[in-house]
């Protein structure tokens, strides 16, 4: 099972896996030059054949619509070979050996030996709510020889019409794998729909309307790189699938998945709850530097409301790590987060009341919201320069600094029995060499030589209109800091950057990896 999971993860990584210009019309973090290059790529795009089998009704999708090939595929393979740590993945010496053997096959020749070609395309989507995965192959015999050892007890093999299938059933769900000359497909369905799913996997039943136009529009709108994974999750489509009046295969399978007809009042509650956040989309900006975005699309009215929220953070450039292993800042206040969670809690409560099988949806929201409401914080930062881990993984020594803007620090210290520390001066906390300074405007902490001055300098000047959240970390320093007993020598050298902020289309989370030679 572990090796099967490793294979799937690796294939997904392969499929996902500078230029400066004016700020773009979609994201402030991506240049218009890069976005326009990606958009132009869709004009001459020939979508993978499997994409035409995806019904436009699917509520979720993830895939690369343009094959990964040539130098792009070689770079992706190199990234896999240098980033996967078999010591971490393996649960036993035998599994470690198997992992290392598998990693050695992550070359173009290795892929060829397993039945793959010079290009690779994969996709995951829903038939109703049930998942289907597809990937392209080049040599059917080699691929079957590669995967056959994975299917032992509990699997039934059959072949007809040029298709090889493996099938297994458990708890009224049937998992099927179909292999043709150019494609391998994997599908899960309620057992009564086994035949319908098999027909879909082998292409006997084509959808009335395919997803191709929507995927192309999505890619062009956001300027996603078609070679990398792009996708979406659409709450509106989920609501449509739950409508009891639907007669399509997707509708029938959705109803069968849930076990019984969903009451209309439940469908309405679900649809109403996601009216202002109907869809989440994601994609790569450039697979060459592993830059990508995840966006929760929002109605304009909600975006305008959120834009009015004040944000502030310490005034420093988070892109300059200096000696830090990790640096993060946040500008959104805990009160605003708490208010947002309160709204979502009410939405989920309405769904719980309307839907008989929807329970315990609000438990986590309630606990997080209560925690955020205890102390009001309006922005802050954290710099981790070093952290020594103990024998059992517990931090023993910390070097770094941080701070938050809050008017609640003195009251909070009094509640914790530390009233003597609420004096506006640096106080030794004893643990891990930490010192704390708290007054009626802020709270700061520091550990290590010169870190108190760095904290004071960072908190002295506030930066208005700061991102909701931003983060940067040195990949090698950060990972080796967390695993001092068995440092990963294969960690890619470079800096990871991440930012979450509002754009004209919703809440965007942007990530980019700047590699080092």
């Amino acid at each position: 099972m572990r090796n099967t999971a490793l294979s799937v993860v690796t294939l997904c990584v392969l499929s996902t896996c500078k230029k400066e210009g004016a700020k773009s019309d979609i994201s402030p973090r991506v240049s218009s030059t890069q976005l326009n290059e990606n958009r132009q790529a869709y004009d001459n795009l020939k979508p993978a054949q499997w994409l035409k089998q995806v019904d436009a009704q699917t509520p979720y999708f993830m895939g690369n619509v343009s094959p990964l090939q040539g130098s792009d595929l070689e770079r992706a393979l190199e990234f896999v070979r240098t980033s996967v740590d078999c010591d971490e993945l393996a649960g036993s010496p035998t599994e470690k050996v198997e992992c290392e053997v598998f990693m050695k096959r992550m070359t173009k020749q290795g892929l060829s030996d397993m039945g793959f070609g010079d290009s690779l395309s994969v996709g995951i989507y829903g038939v109703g709510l049930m998942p289907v995965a597809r990937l392209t192959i080049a040599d059917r015999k080699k691929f079957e020889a590669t995967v056959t050892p994975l299917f032992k007890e509990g699997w039934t093999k059959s072949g007809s019409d040029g298709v090889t299938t493996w099938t297994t059933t458990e708890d009224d769900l049937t998992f099927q794998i179909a292999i043709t000359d150019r494609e391998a497909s994997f599908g899960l369905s309620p057992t009564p729909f086994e035949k319908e799913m098999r027909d879909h996997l082998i292409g006997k039943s084509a959808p009335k309307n395919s997803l191709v136009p929507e995927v192309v529009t999505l890619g062009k709108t956001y300027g996603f790189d078609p070679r990398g994974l792009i996708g979406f999750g659409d709450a509106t489509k989920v609501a449509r699938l739950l409508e009891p009046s639907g007669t399509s295969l997707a509708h029938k399978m959705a109803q069968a998945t849930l076990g019984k007809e969903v009451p209309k009042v439940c469908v309405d509650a679900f649809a109403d709850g996601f009216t202002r956040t109907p869809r989440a989309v994601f994609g790569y900006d450039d697979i060459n530097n592993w830059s990508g975005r995840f966006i929760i699309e929002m109605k304009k009215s909600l975006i305008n409301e959120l834009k009015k929220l004040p944000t502030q953070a310490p005034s420093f450039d988070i892109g300059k790590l200096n000696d830090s292993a990790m640096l993060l800042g946040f500008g959104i206040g805990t009160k605003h987060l708490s208010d947002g969670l309160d709204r979502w809690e009410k939405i989920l409560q309405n769904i719980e009341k309307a839907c008989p099988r929807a329970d315990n949806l609000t438990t986590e929201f309630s606990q997080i919201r209560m925690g955020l409401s205890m102390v009001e914080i309006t922005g802050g930062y954290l710099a981790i320069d070093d952290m020594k881990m103990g024998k059992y993984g517990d931090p023993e020594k910390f070097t770094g600094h941080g701070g938050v803007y809050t008017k609640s620090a003195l009251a909070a210290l009094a509640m914790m029995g530390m009233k003597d520390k609420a004096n506006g001066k640096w106080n030794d906390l004893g643990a891990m060499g930490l010192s704390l300074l708290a007054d009626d405007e802020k709270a700061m902490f520091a550990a290590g030589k010169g870190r108190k001055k760095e904290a004071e300098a960072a908190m002295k000047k506030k930066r208005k209109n700061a991102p909701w959240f931003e983060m940067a970390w040195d990949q090698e320093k950060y990972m080796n800091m967390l695993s001092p007993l068995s440092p990963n020598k294969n960690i890619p050298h470079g800096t990871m950057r991440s930012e979450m902020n509002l754009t004209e289309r919703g809440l965007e989370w942007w990530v980019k990896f700047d590699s080092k030679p």
Side-chain angles (χ1 to χ4, degrees):
M1 181 61 71
R2 183 184 295 270
N3 290 334
T4 303
L6 177 61
S7 302
V8 173
V9 169
T10 300
L11 289 172
C12 288
V13 170
L14 289 178
S15 302
T16 60
C17 185
K18 58 211 197 191
K19 296 186 177 180
E20 298 301 325
K23 286 188 176 181
S24 71
D25 55 334
I26 290 294
S27 171
R29 281 298 186 180
V30 188
S31 71
S32 292
T33 302
Q34 180 67 65
L35 294 180
N36 289 335
E37 284 185 3
N38 290 342
R39 286 166 174 158
Q40 291 171 9
Y42 288 90
D43 293 334
N44 300 314
L45 180 68
K46 293 183 179 179
Q49 189 65 31
W50 62 260
L51 187 56
K52 299 175 183 179
Q53 297 295 320
V54 184
D55 196 308
Q57 296 182 82
T58 183
Y60 57 90
F61 169 81
M62 177 176 68
N64 60 321
V65 296
S66 180
L68 194 64
Q69 54 193 345
S71 59
D72 296 326
L73 180 57
E74 289 178 348
R75 272 193 299 270
L77 288 168
E78 181 182 6
F79 185 85
V80 172
R81 291 194 305 270
T82 57
S83 61
V84 172
D85 185 358
C86 288
D87 286 324
E88 293 289 335
L89 286 176
S92 68
T94 301
E95 290 182 349
K96 178 183 176 182
V97 172
E98 292 174 346
C99 173
E100 290 173 343
V101 170
F102 187 81
M103 284 300 106
K104 288 179 181 179
R105 302 179 77 177
M106 290 297 99
T107 63
K108 291 192 73 173
Q109 183 58 50
L111 285 186
S112 177
D113 292 341
M114 289 188 288
F116 297 101
D118 294 329
S119 65
L120 183 65
S121 178
V122 303
I124 299 173
Y125 59 93
V127 175
L129 302 176
M130 291 281 92
V132 170
R134 295 181 183 267
L135 57 91
T136 54
I137 61 175
D139 191 312
R140 178 176 173 177
K141 289 183 178 180
K142 288 182 179 180
F143 184 79
E144 288 192 15
T146 299
V147 300
T148 295
L150 301 175
F151 309 123
K152 299 177 182 178
E153 294 183 9
W155 290 87
T156 301
K157 181 181 179 181
S158 61
S160 62
D161 300 326
V163 181
T164 302
T165 60
W166 277 273
T167 305
T168 187
T169 298
E170 185 176 349
D171 296 331
D172 297 324
L173 291 175
T174 297
F175 184 54
Q176 300 181 77
I177 299 171
I179 300 175
T180 64
D181 289 339
R182 290 290 177 262
E183 188 178 293
S185 304
F186 310 77
L188 182 68
S189 67
T191 299
F193 289 87
E194 178 180 333
K195 181 182 182 302
E196 288 84 351
M197 177 58 82
R198 184 183 297 113
D199 288 345
H200 173 75
L201 294 178
I202 64 178
K204 276 190 174 181
S205 57
K208 182 178 180 181
N209 298 302
S210 84
L211 190 67
V212 173
E214 181 176 345
V215 170
V216 171
T217 299
L218 172 65
K220 294 188 74 170
T221 298
Y222 284 95
F224 290 142
D225 189 335
R227 300 168 297 173
L229 289 182
I230 68 172
F232 65 83
D234 194 322
T236 303
K237 290 186 177 182
V238 173
R240 290 175 189 159
L241 287 174
L242 298 180
E243 290 284 356
S245 58
T247 58
S248 68
L249 174 61
H251 278 90
K252 292 177 180 177
M253 285 187 60
Q255 298 291 339
T257 301
L258 296 172
K260 59 181 179 180
E261 184 177 288
V262 180
K264 188 176 186 306
V265 64
C266 174
V267 177
D268 293 342
F270 183 87
D272 291 344
F274 288 90
T275 298
R276 299 213 290 176
T277 54
R279 189 172 72 159
V281 303
F282 57 89
Y284 276 76
D285 305 316
D286 185 356
I287 63 169
N288 294 327
N289 61 21
W290 303 93
S291 170
R293 287 165 287 150
F294 176 90
I295 304 101
I296 299 176
E297 293 181 334
M298 297 177 174
K299 297 296 185 182
K300 195 68 177 179
S301 59
L302 179 57
I303 294 174
N304 290 335
E305 284 181 30
L306 295 176
K307 279 184 175 180
K308 296 177 183 178
L309 300 180
T311 60
Q312 61 180 7
S315 185
F316 60 83
D317 185 353
I318 202 165
K320 296 180 179 178
L321 275 170
N322 297 323
D323 294 328
S324 296
M326 184 182 75
L327 183 63
L328 65 86
F330 60 95
I332 192 70
T334 53
K335 182 180 185 303
H336 304 313
L337 289 176
S338 178
D339 290 344
L341 289 176
D342 183 57
R343 290 186 183 183
W344 273 105
E345 187 176 352
K346 291 176 180 176
I347 289 172
L348 294 177
Q349 285 174 345
N350 289 336
I351 294 176
E352 283 182 335
K353 292 177 182 177
C355 306
R357 298 178 63 182
D359 53 5
N360 298 322
L361 295 178
T362 59
T363 303
E364 295 296 330
F365 275 81
S366 300
Q367 294 175 351
I368 296 173
R369 180 177 57 78
M370 289 177 62
L372 289 172
S373 62
M374 292 179 66
V375 177
E376 185 175 346
I377 296 173
T378 57
Y381 84 102
L382 170 66
I384 299 178
D385 300 334
D386 194 14
M387 189 159 52
K388 302 298 182 184
M389 309 299 289
K391 182 178 180 180
Y392 300 103
D394 299 322
E396 291 185 344
K397 187 176 181 180
F398 170 81
T399 303
H401 50 95
V404 295
Y405 297 115
T406 177
K407 296 181 182 298
S408 309
L410 301 183
L413 288 173
M415 289 176 60
M416 292 186 292
M418 300 171 63
K419 191 174 182 179
D420 59 317
K421 309 293 185 185
N423 53 18
K425 300 178 182 180
W426 284 105
N427 294 271
D428 183 14
L429 295 181
M432 295 191 293
L434 281 169
S435 295
L436 173 72
L437 184 154
D439 56 30
D440 56 3
E441 294 289 336
K442 62 186 177 298
M444 299 183 291
F445 62 89
K449 186 178 180 180
R451 267 54 178 196
K452 293 178 183 178
K453 289 185 178 180
E454 291 189 43
E456 291 170 356
M459 296 289 287
K460 186 175 182 180
K461 188 177 180 181
K462 296 179 181 179
R463 176 165 46 117
K464 301 295 184 182
N465 300 318
W468 282 31
F469 179 82
E470 53 187 337
M471 185 174 182
W473 66 94
D474 185 297
Q475 186 82 343
E476 184 179 18
K477 283 184 180 179
Y478 182 68
M479 295 304 295
N480 286 335
M481 180 181 68
L482 295 181
S483 304
L485 300 180
S486 57
N488 185 354
K489 298 178 181 179
N490 294 325
I491 295 173
H493 297 268
T495 302
M496 193 76 78
R497 292 286 311 278
S498 177
E499 180 181 298
M500 180 181 290
N501 209 4
L502 278 175
T503 69
E504 293 304 314
R505 291 183 176 269
L507 186 62
E508 174 187 284
W509 178 35
W510 167 84
V511 179
K512 180 181 180 181
F513 179 70
D514 292 317
S515 61
K516 296 178 182 178

